[in-house]
Amino acid sequence: MIKATSQLLPALIVVAVLVLTHVVCAYAEQSFDYRVAEAVNRLGELYRKGVNVTDAVRLLDNAVKAFEDGNYSEASRLLNASLNRIAELEAVADRIYMLNLLTKALIIAILAAIPLLIYIFLPRLYLYLWFRSRRRWVVRR
Amino acid sequence: MILDEEVFAVILAVSIIASALGIALTLRPLNPEPFTAIGLLNEDCRIGEYPKTVLNGSMLKLCIYVVNYLGEPAYLKVVYKIATNTTLPNTTRPSPQPVIMEWRLVLNNNEEKEFKVSVPVHMLSNVTRAALVFELWQYSNAKGDWVYTGRWVHLYINVGV
């Protein structure tokens, strides 16, 4: 009985280690996915505000690739670099959003003013050009 | 010739239409129809000339194409499974077959990516025709888990011994 137990013990330890490793890896993967998804969510908010997020997306994609290749330290470094970049972008996001909003409002105002400007100035401009092109003309009876 | 009133009216009408069109284009939603897409290409990342037969237990080189038009960056993954006629995915349900490999990627809006993959093909001895299935999943922050997008591609191949 004791001999059987002593033979079984190493096998049980190996199985336990394997199960534990699997659980730890699955947890690490879930945790990593969650962190990346959180970053992507923040990037989505920045993107909707009109911020250019290309650099941060590239860093995040490289972090995911490094994680899949098993290079966890590089993945962590790239993920942190991406999070830092996101924080930098978030600091200026509201200003960029306001600037984009003002630009859009200005474009709309200019577009809306075009018919009005044509209505007011086109006849005057035409008359001015018409008289200007004939200023050397002499009227004879 | 003094500017004719009718000509002036036409010019004014054209300017009003152009102005309204310009305003509508400026105010239009950035992404009215968000979607993602996945495509399967051959090992040279081109359409066509896909392998028809492969040895059981061997590796097959292919190329995956993924595109994101969701209107914002997305965290996506491509999942590889081997299915048969009865276990193919559809637009609402992924294939019930086990996941063999997966590739994660983060894509910006309007961004597409091609990447080469080498996938194992192994079937039970009595099955000679298999469908290599590549499903597209997206991470959902609301659910805290991966969600099947309803997009997939598959390639039928004959498995030789």
Side-chain angles (χ1 to χ4, degrees):
Chain A
M1 179 70 181
I2 293 167
K3 193 180 175 184
T5 309
S6 64
Q7 282 176 344
L8 202 62
L9 197 63
L12 281 171
I13 289 169
V14 169
V15 169
V17 167
L18 284 174
V19 168
L20 196 66
T21 309
H22 179 74
V23 169
V24 168
C25 284
Y27 178 74
E29 198 169 284
Q30 271 187 349
S31 170
F32 183 79
D33 280 341
Y34 183 76
R35 287 183 70 195
V36 172
E38 278 290 311
V40 169
N41 200 30
R42 286 166 69 189
L43 284 172
E45 284 173 21
L46 288 171
Y47 187 87
R48 282 189 289 277
K49 286 182 175 175
V51 179
N52 184 354
V53 295
T54 308
D55 290 351
V57 168
R58 190 67 46 244
L59 281 168
L60 210 53
D61 191 41
N62 289 338
V64 169
K65 270 199 202 75
F67 187 84
E68 286 200 317
D69 293 342
N71 193 348
Y72 301 119
S73 59
E74 179 68 2
S76 181
R77 188 189 69 77
L78 288 166
L79 182 58
N80 287 332
S82 177
L83 291 172
N84 289 339
R85 183 80 186 114
I86 290 169
E88 283 171 19
L89 293 173
E90 279 172 340
V92 294
D94 284 339
R95 198 150 47 90
I96 292 172
Y97 177 69
M98 283 307 292
L99 201 68
N100 287 338
L101 206 64
L102 284 173
T103 309
K104 197 176 260 192
L106 191 69
I107 290 169
I108 289 168
I110 291 169
L111 286 170
I114 286 172
L116 197 66
L117 293 173
I118 286 175
Y119 179 77
I120 294 167
F121 291 110
L122 185 66
R124 286 168 176 75
L125 184 72
Y126 183 81
L127 277 177
Y128 171 75
L129 293 173
W130 192 88
F131 282 117
R132 192 181 164 82
S133 65
R134 290 160 179 80
R135 64 183 168 182
R136 293 184 199 284
W137 285 25
V138 178
V139 181
R140 287 181 187 162
R141 289 201 173 191
Chain B
M1 185 189 86
I2 302 294
L3 184 61
D4 187 61
E5 276 187 12
E6 285 179 4
V7 175
F8 179 63
V10 169
I11 291 171
L12 199 60
V14 168
S15 75
I16 289 169
I17 290 166
S19 170
L21 198 66
I23 291 170
L25 285 173
T26 311
L27 291 175
R28 79 187 191 284
L30 285 175
N31 201 339
E33 197 177 336
F35 69 95
T36 52
I38 182 171
L40 185 64
L41 309 167
N42 66 19
E43 63 177 312
D44 300 321
C45 289
R46 292 178 186 279
I47 293 174
E49 297 174 14
Y50 297 102
K52 290 186 174 70
T53 306
V54 65
L55 285 175
N56 198 1
S58 64
M59 300 295 280
L60 186 64
K61 287 179 181 172
L62 291 166
C63 188
I64 307 287
Y65 167 84
V66 181
V67 62
N68 170 26
Y69 287 117
L70 289 170
E72 59 186 24
Y75 187 25
L76 303 163
K77 77 172 176 181
V78 176
V79 170
Y80 169 60
K81 298 170 179 176
I82 299 178
T84 57
N85 272 338
T86 54
T87 56
L88 278 177
N90 59 32
T91 53
T92 55
R93 182 185 55 82
S95 170
Q97 295 295 98
V99 175
I100 297 170
M101 288 178 86
E102 58 184 35
W103 303 269
R104 290 167 167 77
L105 62 161
V106 180
L107 283 185
N108 202 355
N109 185 40
N110 291 343
E111 191 183 359
E112 55 188 46
K113 184 171 275 187
E114 289 173 0
F115 55 95
K116 293 183 178 182
V117 295
S118 185
V119 294
V121 182
H122 44 75
M123 295 295 292
L124 296 172
S125 57
N126 58 342
V127 180
T128 56
R129 193 164 163 76
L132 310 184
V133 176
F134 297 89
E135 296 168 348
L136 186 62
W137 292 61
Q138 185 187 0
Y139 196 92
S140 164
N141 278 82
K143 293 183 179 173
D145 204 358
W146 291 97
V147 176
Y148 177 53
T149 60
R151 311 279 179 190
W152 88 97
V153 283
H154 65 265
L155 174 70
Y156 276 110
I157 52 160
N158 296 313
V159 182
V161 182

